[in-house]
Amino acid sequence: MILLIYGEDTFRARKTLVATRKRFLAQRDPGGLNVVSLSFVHDSVDRTCQEFFASPFLAEKRLLVLEGFLGATAPEQEKLRLAIEHKPESTVVVFFEDSGAESLTHAPLFSLLRGQKYS
């Protein structure tokens, strides 16, 4: 499952992200061992792609929250697209962007994510 949370209303977008994380913890991972949050500012795309394929620990799913990765370069976004296509079903990915659709349309990955069921 892939979710995309974006918008200029950062308060409500962040609130939706927190609610998603809480719901995952309550339903899937009460210990919080399978929730990973990465930021484009602090984490490399290569490390992020590795996280797509990590197995859940003592749970059936893991949650990967990616913040700001639509600001990556086109080659980096291509790496992410390939990781998305091959990720296991056990990995739930949430892309979080604090920008509106107008500023994200230049991102090659945005059109793929926007077409997902949970955008």
Side-chain angles (χ1 to χ4, degrees), residues 11-23:
F11 176 76
R12 286 195 300 179
R14 183 72 58 184
K15 193 173 178 180
T16 301
L17 178 63
V18 169
T20 302
R21 185 178 288 146
K22 282 183 181 179
R23 188 171 40 253

Side-chain angles (χ1 to χ4, degrees), residues 1 24 28-29 34 56-57 59-63 89-92:
M1 177 185 299
F24 181 84
R28 304 279 183 188
D29 186 30
N34 294 295
F57 181 71
E60 61 186 52
K61 301 245 184 215
R62 54 190 308 270
L63 180 68
E89 288 294 318
S90 61
T91 302
V92 177

Side-chain angles (χ1 to χ4, degrees), residues 35-105:
V35 177
V36 178
S37 296
L38 301 173
S39 170
F40 181 63
V41 175
H42 302 292
D43 300 296
S44 71
V45 171
D46 291 330
R47 175 172 184 253
T48 303
C49 289
Q50 290 174 352
E51 289 291 338
F52 274 85
F53 303 104
S55 297
F57 181 71
L58 299 176
E60 61 186 52
K61 301 245 184 215
R62 54 190 308 270
L63 180 68
L64 180 59
V65 178
L66 305 177
E67 293 190 38
F69 279 86
L70 294 184
T73 64
E76 291 174 324
Q77 287 191 35
E78 180 61 23
K79 287 182 185 179
L80 288 171
R81 186 188 64 76
L82 290 171
I84 289 169
E85 288 179 357
H86 296 98
K87 78 170 189 62
E89 288 294 318
S90 61
T91 302
V92 177
V93 182
V94 177
F95 281 88
F96 179 82
E97 298 293 329
D98 58 2
S99 302
E102 297 81 29
S103 61
L104 295 173
T105 54

